[in-house]
Amino acid sequence: MRALVVVNPAATTTTAKMRNVLVGALASELKVDVAETAHRGHARELSAQAAAEGIDIVVSLGGDGTVNEVVNGLLTDGPRPGLPALAVVPGGSTNVFSRALGRSRDPVEATAELLASLRAGRTRLVSLGTASATGTSTAAVTGVAPAVAEAVARADAAADAPGWSEPRWFVFAAGFGFDAEVIARVEARRAQGRRSTGALYVREGTNAFLFGRERRRPAMTLQLPGEPPLEELFLCLVSNVSPWTYLGARPVNPTPEASFETGLDVFALGRTGTVRMLRALRQTMRPEPDLRGRGLHRFHDLQEFTLTASRPQGWQLDGDHLGTATGMRVRNVPDALRVIA
């Protein structure tokens, strides 16, 4: 079988020497071409080209952001017969999608598992999600005074508000509001040379919660088809898998029923104080989460819904901050892509 291995050379946990070892192992079973990404969006371009050329398998060697780009490239024209199968070798700091497929966290062990799956012909179809946004802005407003940030975001949103953006695919998670703000803060620190770690996410999340205003003035509304709107939300997490993410080896699991075999799950919080937020976080990190409480909302197996906001909010797909928006429309797509299981 012909395979394209898409390598992110900036992946967090794999060195150039290790990448050579992994590619060599894959080449023992596959006719391999290797392409390193050179800029943001490059993995999407490479995967779209592989789909057009009839490649059998595209292997993502990197983190969750690389997987997201590869999937968006493979599904440029939507799900259809004959697309390359997706294989994943973890190389990032969290690797949520790879772990959801049951792969080892260790890239060498994960490659051995992948080769065993190829020999056995093990594949599966997975459901994915799409998200469109309205009132979007990609302005870099994180880190400036809140009044300035909101003014910039409002101006850009007003210019783009009439329509919805083209849908983008996500493989394991989407978010609107607080979690996207935390990701933006982490990305800003990484741009300054900081390493992506669980401790960095905790620190930036704590700062965003304590010093931000979104929890005091919740701006978001969740609209489910045929249901009354759920207003004054400050956080809304969308999950396609369980756990939603990890802090190191420890799962964070606000949506324990989410899976590739069902629709999308949502975890939302309304106006929230420090004690209630800590209680909710503690519940999500239990081995068997027991998620309940005032202002906490959970929904399972959703096919579509819309989030809107009275002022611009950050939005993210698979841990990639995409700017701000005043609305996000989310849909589930069953059996969207074949993966090596």
Side-chain angles (χ1 to χ4, degrees):
M1 289 187 290
R2 297 174 61 206
L4 173 68
V5 181
V6 179
V7 179
N8 179 0
T12 305
T13 59
T14 53
T15 63
K17 182 177 181 180
M18 182 179 289
R19 285 195 294 271
N20 291 337
V21 171
L22 300 179
V23 170
L26 293 170
S28 69
E29 300 282 341
L30 301 166
K31 184 179 179 181
V32 169
D33 290 321
V34 179
E36 289 196 350
T37 59
H39 53 80
R40 187 168 183 169
H42 195 191
R44 179 173 183 167
E45 298 166 7
L46 293 168
S47 301
Q49 183 177 354
E53 293 176 355
I55 296 292
D56 298 301
I57 300 170
V58 174
V59 182
S60 171
L61 176 48
D64 287 314
T66 307
V67 175
N68 178 278
E69 287 195 14
V70 167
V71 167
N72 274 276
L74 292 175
L75 296 174
T76 296
D77 297 321
R80 54 188 172 85
L83 285 177
L86 171 68
V88 180
V89 176
S93 59
T94 312
N95 305 302
V96 176
F97 184 72
S98 176
R99 289 157 90 166
L101 294 173
R103 290 281 176 255
S104 168
R105 295 176 62 192
D106 180 82
V108 175
E109 291 183 9
T111 301
E113 294 166 355
L114 172 58
L115 291 172
S117 294
L118 286 169
R119 295 186 197 107
R122 288 194 295 267
T123 66
R124 63 185 289 195
L125 288 168
V126 297
S127 66
L128 301 174
T130 67
S132 304
T134 188
T136 57
S137 166
T138 56
V141 297
T142 301
V144 303
V148 175
E150 184 168 331
V152 172
R154 282 185 183 278
D156 286 345
D160 296 332
W164 292 87
S165 65
E166 286 293 318
R168 290 182 57 149
W169 295 89
F170 63 92
V171 296
F172 69 89
F176 195 48
F178 177 74
D179 68 310
E181 179 184 351
V182 174
I183 288 170
R185 287 170 173 260
V186 169
E187 288 183 357
R189 299 297 174 264
R190 291 187 67 184
Q192 296 168 357
R194 298 290 297 276
R195 189 169 178 268
S196 177
T197 63
L200 180 60
Y201 276 92
V202 170
R203 183 161 51 252
E204 294 304 325
T206 300
N207 289 336
F209 182 81
L210 292 177
F211 303 113
R213 60 178 177 171
E214 294 301 329
R215 67 186 175 94
R216 300 181 181 89
R217 294 175 51 206
M220 297 189 298
T221 296
L222 171 63
Q223 182 66 66
L224 304 177
E227 300 288 340
L230 184 59
E231 300 177 330
E232 294 191 328
L233 301 175
F234 110 96
L235 173 148
C236 190
L237 309 178
V238 182
S239 299
N240 192 39
V241 301
S242 173
W244 170 69
T245 192
Y246 296 83
L247 288 175
R250 192 164 186 176
V252 181
N253 203 359
T255 52
E257 296 177 288
S259 80
F260 289 128
E261 284 73 40
T262 64
L264 300 168
D265 283 28
V266 168
F267 174 88
L269 285 175
R271 195 183 307 272
T272 304
T274 303
V275 173
R276 193 181 302 167
M277 184 66 173
L278 288 173
R279 184 183 300 119
L281 180 60
R282 186 168 60 249
Q283 289 173 341
T284 67
M285 299 182 74
R286 288 175 177 170
E288 296 183 5
D290 181 21
L291 298 159
R292 52 188 170 179
R294 187 161 59 92
L296 187 155
H297 310 276
R298 290 174 55 204
F299 303 93
H300 173 57
D301 197 16
L302 300 178
Q303 295 305 309
E304 61 179 299
F305 55 90
T306 302
L307 289 156
T308 57
S310 58
R311 58 180 178 271
Q313 304 287 304
W315 67 299
Q316 63 89 8
L317 301 180
D318 292 336
D320 186 13
H321 187 266
L322 299 175
T324 63
T326 55
M328 187 166 75
R329 187 165 56 197
V330 183
R331 290 175 175 153
N332 176 63
V333 183
D335 297 339
L337 188 64
R338 185 170 297 280
V339 300
I340 306 299

